[in-house]
Amino acid sequence: MARSTMRDISRVTGFSVFTVSRALSGGDGVSEQSREQIIKAARELGYVVNRAAQELRRAKRDTVAIITASTSNSYYLDLMAGIQRALDPSEWTVIVGDVAVNGAYDARLEARMIQRLIESRTAGVISALTLQPEHAELLAKWDIPVVFVDSSPPPEAAHFPSVTTNNHKASMMVGQHLAGHGYKNWLFLVYPAKWSSRFGRESGLRDAASIAGANLVVLETANDSASARETLAQYLDDHAKPPHVLIAGNNPLLLGAMGLLKDRGIQVPGDMAVVAYDEFAWSTLTDPSITVLNEDSEEIGRRAAVMLREIIDGQEAAGRKGQSQSPVYVPEHRQQVSARLMLRRSCGCLESGRETAKGSSFQAA
Amino acid sequence: MARSTMRDISRVTGFSVFTVSRALSGGDGVSEQSREQIIKAARELGYVVNRAAQELRRAKRDTVAIITASTSNSYYLDLMAGIQRALDPSEWTVIVGDVAVNGAYDARLEARMIQRLIESRTAGVISALTLQPEHAELLAKWDIPVVFVDSSPPPEAAHFPSVTTNNHKASMMVGQHLAGHGYKNWLFLVYPAKWSSRFGRESGLRDAASIAGANLVVLETANDSASARETLAQYLDDHAKPPHVLIAGNNPLLLGAMGLLKDRGIQVPGDMAVVAYDEFAWSTLTDPSITVLNEDSEEIGRRAAVMLREIIDGQEAAGRKGQSQSPVYVPEHRQQVSARLMLRRSCGCLESGRETAKGSSFQAA
DNA sequence: CTAATTTACCTAAACGATTAGGTTGGCTTC
DNA sequence: GAAGCCAACCTAATCGTTTAGGTAAATTAG
């Protein structure tokens, strides 16, 4: 069966292309009887609308893009769930653009992605990383609104909306907990400043360390497991006294670090305690189970999507009034969500197997 | 700055829209001097091509879609890497469509996704799951080629190309290994037949069990961790004698099962051995480390992408000769890739902690 | 020097939808 | 029964590209 167009349906039914369009898109100006006849013909011909033609003609856009670097960070799944819940999938199309290659952020990929989104006149963007300033500007020039999640806008575009974890507060909480354990030497293994969540996390830990009279060392590494492992190995080789506690900035870094500690026979938490950012599926099943700071990624995704929808609706309303289509950003479009600390064995909690209270006699090697 | 079109560039430079189009798309019929002038004007105006208009006019499509259910299965990352390596990103746009909601396959989402891909006249599809027959047929009707990866086409469309693991052979290998440990009662916790890899895995285990004189029980569950946990709990409650070994059909199922075993205090591998399908990042760091069958997902992705590109090229060539654009599928388009068994502690191997010596150890098949 | 070819460009017709702006004929309304 | 209105349709323009089919001038061939 050949690909059919509205003109084919028009020929078959005898109605004009106008009437066919109106009938299929649910607009008025068509009698119920005619509509049924047209829909029936469309079904028989196997008609499917051509989105390119539709988008070319229509002002209204219905595709939003999520920009992320590496979907291996499992928070991404919750984020998506939250977004999907806020954007009715029959009305919106959500596409995901991963700007990481082999788990590592790639600047050229980001440029290509932005170009692509502008080419297809995307309705809006949710970005899980701090975009390069020129890219944020480019999107703004094309009136494409951007909401940053779990990351802040670049300083040059500070007024852009964002939904983030209150990283400073959350990290203070982490620090206070570590102080409670009596740890004095903290090592923060962290990804580059490209992901802006780093700043809040670092300053929160720093403030907590200062209050507790602890010593904080910040060790930066590229944002993947292999680099994290190598960077940490180098650090441990160079320093006679290992830290009391290792704070892993995110999941891939934790993975790299844990692999190294295991291979070197460093007991956790006996020889060195560990805490990490971001919850992940296996956190309770590793040896030992890992204490993590759990962001409410689903809530972040939901709020970001709602926000984006509001901004796009605002643009449309302005467009109908003949006003500027530039996205309007207001201060309420900067929100923070709080996080929870999930206490497990790696930080030194539950040492005596309190876990067994829940029904396990599971023993670590 | 307002959005500019080719007409704007034409006005500014004095050249016709034709010449502008040729200059920007790199075609001939334009002098180098004029081309430079036009490109400069385009840059100054901030021109970005309108993809909707381009796609509407052009016959050639350059977007391929990956259909997957739940990106939490980590094989997806390797798969993507393989695909990206075979499809030059400056020439092709790859989009990912996840047809799972909260980690579970959703039939309505699949329907919506297929509809969407046809609407946008996608060039080709790589599907990581066995599509519903009517959807495979629909894509075929619109001359959109499909390559199945890690899953077979639906029986109604058996001639469709696919790249899969040789599941039967691989599962025989798993079974032989289990038999070598002396286990006699095997419990295969498996996802629904929706994912066709199930058949090869099941029959391979069955044949191996039969040869080894072992007893295989197949326990089907919905394809997510929570369901797996519940199904397994029910089974253990109903049967006085637990199996000697649990074989987890994939990652989410393994996660659910391990959580249950831990909470019930069942020692692995002491009380019950465990092996699983599909490698994952934390496999060496769980307690105990998990023996898995590792598919070569990257190679699968690479081959599928190469195959798809060949088929699309074939369509174009046929189109230029005025022949049918239907994708041409040949027997060489059904390929199998072999897998490797990664031996770790959960199956009963490496009891004495040899792992720490080598970091991880595996055996090629 | 003429004819043939090549180069550099242009005009205008698509592609397949949406929509502004008609035109009917039938039905009210007073 | 004239005026007004509405429902149900149609015609034709339009979105921003690509491309088939030209033309005019410059270059080359014989």
Side-chain angles (χ1 to χ4, degrees):
Chain A
M1 193 187 297
R3 306 174 175 207
S4 46
T5 71
M6 281 196 173
R7 199 185 311 279
D8 297 323
I9 301 180
S10 159
R11 256 196 291 273
V12 168
T13 59
F15 290 104
S16 74
V17 175
F18 163 86
T19 307
V20 172
S21 171
R22 274 318 229 274
L24 293 178
S25 65
D28 54 349
V30 191
S31 71
E32 268 319 302
Q33 200 191 358
S34 313
R35 185 189 303 270
E36 273 170 33
Q37 202 180 333
I38 289 170
I39 289 176
K40 182 158 163 284
R43 201 192 317 278
E44 277 165 9
L45 287 171
Y47 170 81
V48 177
V49 70
N50 183 325
R51 206 166 253 265
Q54 198 172 49
E55 286 183 353
L56 176 57
R57 191 63 235 279
R58 254 217 281 250
K60 191 175 167 163
R61 246 90 233 188
D62 60 359
T63 302
V64 312
I66 323 288
I67 299 182
T68 161
S70 170
T71 52
S72 70
N73 261 312
S74 68
Y75 78 93
Y76 154 83
L77 285 173
D78 296 328
L79 193 71
M80 278 303 290
I83 292 169
Q84 299 280 13
R85 200 142 52 79
L87 298 177
D88 175 7
S90 68
E91 192 181 352
W92 296 92
T93 302
V94 178
I95 71 166
V96 179
D98 191 343
V99 295
V101 46
N102 290 332
Y105 166 79
D106 185 296
R108 282 180 42 231
L109 220 51
E110 177 181 320
R112 194 134 51 198
M113 181 68 62
I114 298 293
Q115 172 78 13
R116 220 263 165 193
L117 295 181
I118 294 176
E119 284 180 1
S120 51
R121 309 294 193 259
T122 303
V125 170
I126 293 177
S127 176
L129 53 100
T130 299
L131 295 176
Q132 294 177 17
E134 66 266 33
H135 293 157
E137 194 192 339
L138 210 53
L139 289 171
K141 194 164 89 184
W142 285 88
D143 293 342
I144 299 174
V146 185
V147 175
F148 289 87
V149 288
D150 210 46
S151 68
S152 60
E156 292 84 351
H159 61 292
F160 275 58
S162 62
V163 185
T164 58
T165 294
N166 188 329
N167 279 300
H168 185 272
K169 187 173 144 203
S171 289
M172 288 273 298
M173 176 166 66
V174 171
Q176 278 159 16
H177 185 77
L178 297 179
H181 276 293
Y183 304 131
K184 287 297 178 190
N185 289 309
W186 306 356
L187 179 63
F188 183 33
L189 183 63
V190 69
Y191 46 88
K194 167 91 217 155
W195 288 267
S196 63
S197 55
R198 167 173 168 173
F199 296 114
R201 290 178 177 183
E202 186 177 335
S203 71
L205 287 175
R206 197 175 295 289
D207 290 355
S210 152
I211 290 169
N215 176 38
L216 176 71
V217 174
V218 176
L219 183 60
E220 179 169 320
T221 171
N223 197 10
D224 63 283
S225 296
S227 304
R229 181 190 172 104
E230 206 174 322
T231 306
L232 179 59
Q234 192 63 51
Y235 179 88
L236 293 180
D237 288 345
D238 291 352
H239 295 76
K241 266 181 43 186
H244 294 145
V245 59
L246 173 70
I247 305 158
N250 67 18
N251 243 270
L253 305 193
L254 173 67
L255 178 61
M258 289 301 288
L260 180 73
L261 298 186
K262 178 170 187 180
D263 290 352
R264 294 205 169 177
I266 297 171
Q267 296 290 322
V268 177
D271 301 334
M272 191 188 302
V274 169
V275 301
Y277 286 88
D278 305 343
E279 179 63 294
F280 63 106
W282 290 91
S283 61
T284 61
L285 294 167
T286 51
D287 177 26
S289 56
I290 311 279
T291 293
V292 301
L293 186 75
N294 186 16
E295 304 198 327
D296 193 351
S297 300
E298 181 165 345
E299 177 64 11
I300 290 178
R302 202 188 56 76
R303 288 203 204 183
V306 167
M307 210 178 266
L308 188 60
R309 214 180 43 195
E310 284 172 4
I311 296 167
I312 293 172
D313 287 350
Q315 284 182 294
E316 265 173 51
R320 274 195 302 274
K321 289 192 227 147
Q323 300 166 357
S324 157
Q325 296 261 51
S326 306
V328 175
Y329 298 143
V330 298
E332 296 82 66
H333 286 154
R334 308 214 57 169
Q335 301 191 356
Q336 291 203 316
V337 173
S338 57
R340 290 186 313 167
L341 189 59
M342 314 296 281
L343 296 179
R344 303 202 180 96
R345 289 191 47 233
S346 70
C347 68
C349 283
L350 308 172
E351 212 29 288
S352 52
R354 273 245 310 269
E355 272 181 325
T356 42
K358 290 192 225 150
S360 168
S361 63
F362 189 84
Q363 198 61 44
Chain B
M1 192 187 297
R3 306 173 175 207
S4 47
T5 70
M6 282 195 174
R7 199 185 313 278
D8 297 323
I9 301 179
S10 159
R11 256 195 292 271
V12 169
T13 59
F15 290 103
S16 74
V17 175
F18 163 86
T19 307
V20 173
S21 171
R22 273 323 226 280
L24 293 179
S25 66
D28 53 348
V30 190
S31 71
E32 268 318 303
Q33 199 190 359
S34 314
R35 185 189 303 270
E36 273 169 33
Q37 202 180 332
I38 288 170
I39 288 175
K40 180 156 163 286
R43 203 192 315 279
E44 278 165 9
L45 287 172
Y47 171 80
V48 176
V49 69
N50 183 325
R51 207 167 251 265
Q54 199 172 50
E55 287 183 352
L56 176 57
R57 190 62 236 273
R58 252 216 284 250
K60 190 173 167 164
R61 246 89 232 190
D62 60 359
T63 301
V64 311
I66 324 289
I67 299 181
T68 162
S70 171
T71 52
S72 70
N73 260 312
S74 68
Y75 79 94
Y76 154 83
L77 285 174
D78 297 328
L79 193 71
M80 279 301 291
I83 291 169
Q84 299 280 13
R85 198 142 53 80
L87 297 177
D88 174 8
S90 68
E91 192 181 353
W92 296 92
T93 302
V94 178
I95 70 165
V96 179
D98 191 344
V99 296
V101 44
N102 290 331
Y105 165 79
D106 185 297
R108 280 179 46 229
L109 221 50
E110 177 181 320
R112 194 133 52 198
M113 181 66 64
I114 297 294
Q115 171 76 16
R116 219 262 165 195
L117 296 180
I118 294 176
E119 285 180 2
S120 51
R121 309 297 192 254
T122 304
V125 170
I126 293 177
S127 176
L129 53 99
T130 299
L131 295 176
Q132 294 177 18
E134 64 266 33
H135 292 157
E137 196 192 337
L138 210 52
L139 289 169
K141 193 164 89 183
W142 286 87
D143 293 341
I144 299 173
V146 185
V147 175
F148 290 87
V149 288
D150 210 49
S151 67
S152 60
E156 291 83 350
H159 61 291
F160 275 60
S162 62
V163 185
T164 57
T165 295
N166 189 328
N167 278 299
H168 185 271
K169 187 174 144 203
S171 289
M172 288 272 299
M173 176 167 69
V174 171
Q176 278 160 16
H177 184 78
L178 297 180
H181 276 292
Y183 304 131
K184 288 298 180 189
N185 290 309
W186 307 356
L187 179 63
F188 183 32
L189 184 62
V190 69
Y191 46 89
K194 166 91 217 155
W195 288 267
S196 63
S197 56
R198 166 171 170 175
F199 296 113
R201 292 179 175 182
E202 185 175 336
S203 71
L205 287 174
R206 199 176 292 289
D207 290 355
S210 151
I211 291 169
N215 177 38
L216 176 71
V217 174
V218 176
L219 182 60
E220 179 169 320
T221 170
N223 197 10
D224 63 283
S225 296
S227 304
R229 182 191 171 103
E230 205 174 323
T231 306
L232 180 59
Q234 192 64 50
Y235 179 87
L236 294 179
D237 288 345
D238 291 351
H239 296 76
K241 266 180 46 184
H244 294 145
V245 58
L246 172 70
I247 305 157
N250 67 18
N251 244 271
L253 305 194
L254 173 67
L255 178 61
M258 290 301 288
L260 180 73
L261 297 186
K262 178 172 185 178
D263 290 351
R264 293 204 171 178
I266 297 171
Q267 297 289 325
V268 177
D271 299 335
M272 191 190 301
V274 169
V275 302
Y277 286 88
D278 305 343
E279 180 63 292
F280 63 106
W282 290 92
S283 61
T284 61
L285 293 167
T286 50
D287 180 27
S289 56
I290 311 277
T291 293
V292 300
L293 185 76
N294 185 17
E295 304 198 327
D296 192 350
S297 300
E298 181 165 347
E299 176 64 10
I300 290 179
R302 201 189 56 76
R303 289 203 203 183
V306 167
M307 211 179 266
L308 187 60
R309 214 181 43 195
E310 284 172 5
I311 296 169
I312 293 172
D313 288 349
Q315 283 182 296
E316 265 173 50
R320 274 196 302 275
K321 290 192 225 146
Q323 300 167 358
S324 157
Q325 296 262 53
S326 306
V328 175
Y329 299 142
V330 299
E332 296 82 69
H333 285 154
R334 310 214 55 169
Q335 300 191 356
Q336 291 203 315
V337 173
S338 58
R340 293 184 310 170
L341 188 59
M342 315 295 281
L343 296 179
R344 302 200 182 96
R345 288 190 49 232
S346 70
C347 68
C349 285
L350 306 172
E351 222 18 296
S352 54
R354 275 237 316 264
E355 258 183 339
T356 37
K358 283 166 68 185
S360 73
S361 93
F362 67 87
Q363 175 183 310

